[in-house]
Amino acid sequence: MNGEWTERTDLPTSPVHNPSTGDVIAESPLADPTTVNEAVQAAADAFPAWWETPAVKRARVMFKYRALIEQEFDSICATISLEHGKTLAESRGELQRGLECVEYACGIPELFKGEYLENIARGIDCEVIRQPLGVCVGITPFNFPAMIAMWMFPLAISSGNTFIFKPSEKVPLTAIRLVQLLEKAGLPKGVLNLVHGGKDCVDTLLSHPDVRAISFVGSTPVAKYIYETGTKNGKRVQSNGGAKNHVIIMPDADVKTSVDGIMGGAFGCAGERCMAIANAVCVGNASKTVLPELAEAARNLKVGPTDRDPQPQMGAVITSQHRDRVAEIVTEGADQGGKILSDGRRAEVPEAPNGFYLGATVIDEVDPQSTLAETEIFGPVLSVLRASDLDEALALANASAFGNGTAIFTTSGSAAREFKHRVQAGMVGINVGVPAPMAMFPFSGWNESFFGDLHVQGRDGVRFYTREKTVTSRWFGESDVWRK
Ligand code: NAD
């Protein structure tokens, strides 16, 4: 806060695990309202000077930040894998996506430019200028310790705002690395402030009169709460929630492309992704062509610790409680008639017996109205539903309360076109399992997956962190001087 790193031993804490081993590796301090208020004060004090800093100079800090992240790339990825449990390859993918958000923010002088129309009436001109909001807040989930924060603060700060970053208490270590490097890049004191904490900390931020805007990513119940409370308190809010994503596999789908895409989509990051494929809808014969190979690939997926070499194909989930809950939901689904083709409820990892491991589960003929099919599980579980044609498959996908990502695997252009047009989700993949947009496009969830108007990333992100001022000008009087 305010350019100072403070160690606080007087606050309650929450344990941080290495999911690969089950060891407690750190404690997250849980900031109290007094501490949070100090952070907001620091951000509010830093705002006037930062706002007056020309956009090209703000962009230069981002260019330096970009270079520093590249230098430290491998060690940041090791920190992500250590506290999250995902593989190093997945951490590299995540940090690369985050870095692209920094690169996008480097273009802020261009993104910030307004509009101008000469002579809206004779001798009168009108312009739109873009200005920052003031103190903005980012509250992030555990599953992308680097990338999701990087959706937020690079664009907010380069737009001239100051920022409070509240990471998940489960993964505070990557957040520290990210803030340290921005400090090293020359960001003035108080422009970015990091506070660790849980609900109390968030509640203080939601009601603080100096906070102008809140970016949130997390589960749907909390996303709804943040949106409702933040907007009630007069703040601008973009609130991204959970998901239950469907992939439709058409009978004409290429088997290898589909299996590779769905394996990555369902089991990448151990299913702990808001874009994870949770439900596969097999249309017609796809259950005979693609499904057996998918189940075979899931049974062969290697699970293990990601804090050492050699790297497995899938790491542990975030906590032992989460591991047990995922396994219970699978058991419930099987009790209700689901047929387990690959059973990941137990995973023996002798080299790390206390890690939070699950294998990859594929469960067929799942009841579309069951918990397994309808709720977000956030683990390495793929439920298979059956449909006789694309209409039926679309009806199953569109029945979901969520609307984050979705995909189709097909070799038919017209099926793909129909799907793109009719599917009720904000991010659509065609022969792409995880259609997560890059930094120059909005991350555009729908329905229970998003609450707000302007999404994170891209031009939506710039608009979210700024407000427009329209100036109408007319000059007379002293301008006659040039006539003489
Ligand atoms: P979470 O909702 O438990 O926590 C997210 C953040 O909210 C954390 O910083 C946490 O400290 C805070 N928080 C938790 N409970 C709170 C409460 N009652 N009041 C105020 N703040 C609270 O989510 P998580 O388990 O860390 O992350 C997983 C969830 O995030 C999944 O549902 C996943 O789909 C979702 N997610 C969504 C997106 C997206 O873009 N839509 C991206 C990534 C993750």
Side-chain angles (χ1 to χ4, degrees), residues 39-59:
V40 177
Q41 191 60 50
D45 292 346
F47 175 63
W50 184 240
W51 173 25
E52 293 301 337
T53 304
V56 284
K57 291 201 172 164
R58 298 197 304 255

Side-chain angles (χ1 to χ4, degrees), residues 139-144 148 151 166-170 197-199 202-203 216-220 222-223 225-226 240-243 273-274 376 378 404 443 449:
I139 302 160
T140 55
F142 79 82
N143 67 318
F144 282 97
I148 289 179
W151 286 352
K166 205 301 282 175
S168 163
E169 59 276 37
K170 296 187 180 109
K199 181 169 167 52
V202 171
D203 284 343
F216 174 85
V217 178
S219 57
T220 289
V222 184
Y225 168 73
I226 301 279
N240 298 269
R273 279 202 291 222
C274 68
E376 182 175 47
F378 224 54
N404 219 37
F443 198 91
S449 296

Side-chain angles (χ1 to χ4, degrees), residues 36-358:
V36 177
N37 289 339
E38 279 173 38
V40 177
Q41 191 60 50
D45 292 346
F47 175 63
W50 184 240
W51 173 25
E52 293 301 337
T53 304
V56 284
K57 291 201 172 164
R58 298 197 304 255
R60 261 173 226 145
V61 176
M62 288 297 144
F63 277 106
K64 281 195 193 139
Y65 189 43
R66 189 201 173 282
L68 289 167
I69 291 171
E70 283 233 305
Q71 271 173 27
E72 300 285 323
F73 200 90
D74 288 341
S75 77
I76 300 172
C77 291
T79 306
I80 298 172
S81 289
L82 176 72
E83 65 179 349
H84 178 279
K86 64 177 76 175
T87 66
L88 279 170
E90 288 163 346
S91 296
R92 292 183 75 81
E94 159 170 6
L95 190 57
Q96 182 57 36
R97 280 298 172 88
L99 194 57
E100 286 153 10
C101 295
V102 178
E103 289 168 351
Y104 187 73
C106 289
I108 204 68
E110 177 66 25
L111 294 167
F112 228 65
K113 285 196 310 207
E115 298 172 34
Y116 195 95
L117 180 64
E118 196 182 41
N119 273 347
I120 52 159
R122 192 176 297 271
I124 303 179
D125 305 328
C126 191
E127 67 194 298
V128 178
I129 55 180
R130 197 170 277 292
Q131 296 190 335
L133 304 174
V135 179
C136 299
V137 164
I139 302 160
T140 55
F142 79 82
N143 67 318
F144 282 97
M147 181 188 76
I148 289 179
M150 293 163 96
W151 286 352
M152 301 173 182
F153 69 75
L155 208 47
I157 286 171
S158 59
S159 295
N161 300 286
T162 54
F163 204 84
I164 314 287
F165 170 23
K166 205 301 282 175
S168 163
E169 59 276 37
K170 296 187 180 109
V171 291
L173 305 176
T174 307
I176 294 174
R177 300 290 312 277
L178 294 178
V179 176
Q180 279 170 337
L181 289 184
L182 197 44
E183 189 185 14
K184 208 169 160 191
L187 192 75
K189 289 178 185 212
V191 175
L192 176 61
N193 305 276
L194 172 68
V195 282
H196 297 290
K199 181 169 167 52
D200 284 354
C201 176
V202 171
D203 284 343
T204 309
L205 291 165
L206 284 175
S207 60
H208 198 296
D210 286 345
V211 169
R212 299 273 177 254
I214 296 168
S215 301
F216 174 85
V217 178
S219 57
T220 289
V222 184
K224 248 186 203 169
Y225 168 73
I226 301 279
Y227 182 75
E228 284 166 5
T229 316
T231 51
K232 198 175 75 194
N233 291 332
K235 298 171 196 332
R236 191 179 281 196
V237 182
Q238 50 179 197
S239 201
N240 298 269
K244 187 78 182 179
N245 306 311
H246 289 70
V247 61
I248 294 178
I249 315 169
M250 296 300 286
D252 60 11
D254 177 73
V255 174
K256 184 171 182 334
T257 312
S258 310
V259 171
D260 290 353
I262 296 168
M263 284 298 292
F267 305 119
C269 299
E272 292 174 325
R273 279 202 291 222
C274 68
M275 292 293 280
I277 295 173
N279 289 351
V281 185
C282 282
V283 177
N285 226 21
S287 58
K288 298 206 172 64
T289 53
V290 176
L291 188 56
E293 297 218 13
L294 197 56
E296 173 73 9
R299 285 191 292 271
N300 290 331
L301 200 75
K302 296 260 176 318
V303 183
T306 60
D307 60 351
R308 66 196 82 165
D309 284 329
Q311 285 281 300
Q313 291 166 298
M314 185 168 87
V317 297
I318 190 73
T319 58
S320 58
Q321 295 86 337
H322 186 50
R323 174 197 59 199
D324 298 345
R325 179 181 165 267
V326 172
E328 271 164 32
I329 298 174
V330 174
T331 301
E332 206 181 293
D335 291 346
Q336 290 169 0
K339 295 193 172 52
I340 296 180
L341 305 182
S342 169
D343 191 348
R345 287 175 291 178
R346 286 175 63 84
E348 299 302 332
V349 179
E351 67 273 34
N354 299 322
F356 311 141
Y357 297 102
L358 287 162

